[in-house]
Amino acid sequence: MRFACLCIPLLILSAAACAAQSARAATREKIIIDTDIGDDVDDAFAVALALRSPELEILGITTTFGDTETRAKLLDRMLGEVGRSDIPVAVGASTHATNVFTQRRYAEAGHFARASHPAAVDFIREQIRRYPGQITLIAIGPLMNLGALIDKDVETFRKLRRVVLMGGSIYRGYGDVGYFPTHGPQAEWNIVNDIASAQKLFGSGVPLYVMPLDSTQVKLDEVKRSILFRSGTPLTDALTLLYHQWGQETPTLFDVMTVAYLLNPKICPVQPMRIRVDDKGFTRVENGAANAQVCLDSDSDAFFRLYMGRVAEP
């Protein structure tokens, strides 16, 4: 009888734990990451934060711009190294690109390479249809896949919960981190490499949250890199390799701000604005009804407390 009496509370606790776990799973935010990983290194740091965030359910990662197949192989290896080969990787249409794919050696090493990858536009469309109104699309590369999906099936595209975009330049351009008088906005990489798709996105009517150059130029300095790289986890080891192949010194974590915003919106508070993408790739503020929520300034201290606390944790 004593054994039976002990088992009943244990069974109750087990059922309660399962119920709590199911509740947590139901509240996780479903995301798809659309990325040009492999050129600059900030995409890899963004993926790393998403992987270390239990609040997020990564439905898949899609590649865009340039050599999209090799970008997918890079993701295959990175996800495999950290035991997350369950996450689908889909490939966008390849495009001409003149910039250097700095992390190609990591991608082409062959570790965890998958036999094939689905097409990115079809994958995103299928996921939206499966989870209408539930998916946040994190766009951290040129917008080819988004523009192609809008062209193919705009009604399905509009069933996204929202798009969180690293892109544009409202008042500050590259290198302007707020210490000196601004030299004005510039045509930002993710926008200018597919202006037509950016114009379609800003006119799509999907809730749009924009992290432009004004708020995303946060620097991963030497001290933080040292802490991160000596953590010795499979994830930080992957970041270490990718950083060294990138071949520069101090990364600017532009793309990571999108994921940080999802986890803690106070890091990058947004305000409603009406943005027009002009024919040169500038994101112009106009009068009229807002079509985007835009973050013009971010809290870099809170950003790094979040990032280091998640990714550098052994």
Side-chain angles (χ1 to χ4, degrees):
M1 288 297 295
R2 290 182 63 192
F3 179 77
C5 290
L6 286 171
C7 283
I8 291 171
L10 287 173
L11 289 171
I12 294 171
L13 283 172
S14 178
C18 288
Q21 185 174 359
S22 298
R24 285 193 297 271
T27 59
R28 294 166 71 200
E29 183 159 4
K30 293 177 171 59
I31 67 168
I32 296 171
I33 302 173
D34 188 61
T35 174
D36 61 342
I37 194 168
D39 301 336
D40 203 344
V41 77
D42 56 326
D43 297 74
F45 283 87
V47 171
L49 179 58
L51 288 170
R52 291 302 299 265
S53 297
E55 307 94 323
L56 305 178
E57 179 184 355
I58 306 174
L59 299 177
I61 306 176
T62 57
T63 62
T64 184
F65 186 67
D67 187 351
T68 50
E69 187 64 49
T70 303
R71 299 191 197 283
K73 291 177 181 177
L74 190 158
L75 285 164
D76 288 347
R77 179 176 176 184
M78 184 177 181
L79 294 173
E81 298 282 7
V82 300
R84 293 304 312 271
S85 292
D86 59 299
I87 296 175
V89 176
V91 177
S94 62
T95 66
H96 175 70
T98 58
N99 60 314
V100 178
F101 194 137
T102 63
Q103 297 137 70
R104 181 176 295 276
R105 283 181 296 147
Y106 181 94
E108 292 182 340
H111 305 306
F112 301 100
R114 305 180 194 190
S116 63
H117 301 92
V121 172
D122 294 339
F123 175 81
I124 297 170
R125 185 188 192 200
E126 176 187 328
Q127 295 302 310
I128 298 171
R129 287 179 168 179
R130 183 175 297 175
Y131 303 109
Q134 299 180 56
I135 296 174
T136 293
L137 179 57
I138 300 176
I140 55 174
L143 300 166
M144 287 79 177
N145 290 330
L146 281 68
L149 181 51
I150 291 169
D151 287 341
K152 184 172 186 175
D153 189 349
V154 69
E155 292 306 314
T156 294
F157 186 81
R158 288 176 179 151
K159 293 177 182 177
L160 283 167
R161 179 184 178 188
R162 57 182 171 174
V163 173
V164 179
L165 164 70
M166 190 280 123
S169 168
I170 308 303
Y171 301 117
R172 300 181 193 171
Y174 287 103
D176 183 352
V177 293
Y179 299 132
F180 305 105
T182 179
H183 54 67
Q186 293 176 265
E188 184 273 330
W189 177 263
N190 290 341
I191 302 295
V192 78
N193 274 288
D194 193 342
I195 294 169
S197 289
Q199 291 170 336
K200 293 169 190 173
L201 176 61
F202 278 85
S204 68
V206 169
L208 187 57
Y209 294 77
V210 181
M211 315 287 124
L213 294 179
D214 307 64
S215 56
T216 57
Q217 298 189 72
V218 288
K219 305 287 187 179
L220 186 68
D221 63 31
E222 182 179 5
V223 173
K224 296 182 183 70
R225 293 197 304 272
S226 177
I227 294 170
L228 190 68
F229 294 161
R230 70 170 179 250
S231 294
T233 70
L235 184 58
T236 58
D237 287 351
L239 291 176
T240 304
L241 285 172
L242 292 167
Y243 165 79
H244 286 294
Q245 288 192 13
W246 175 60
Q248 300 180 49
E249 185 175 0
T250 303
T252 304
L253 301 185
F254 304 100
D255 291 339
V256 187
M257 191 62 71
T258 56
V259 182
Y261 172 78
L262 289 186
L263 300 172
N264 181 1
K266 292 180 180 179
I267 288 174
C268 206
V270 297
Q271 57 183 282
M273 304 180 79
R274 183 169 188 82
I275 303 297
R276 175 179 63 87
V277 180
D278 72 14
D279 291 338
K280 294 183 178 180
F282 284 78
T283 43
R284 306 292 190 186
V285 180
E286 293 190 325
N287 294 326
N291 62 352
Q293 300 289 325
V294 183
C295 175
L296 296 178
D297 198 12
S298 59
D299 184 340
S300 61
D301 288 339
F303 172 88
F304 280 113
R305 282 196 298 272
L306 172 68
Y307 194 86
M308 301 300 287
R310 298 261 176 129
V311 180
E313 178 67 25

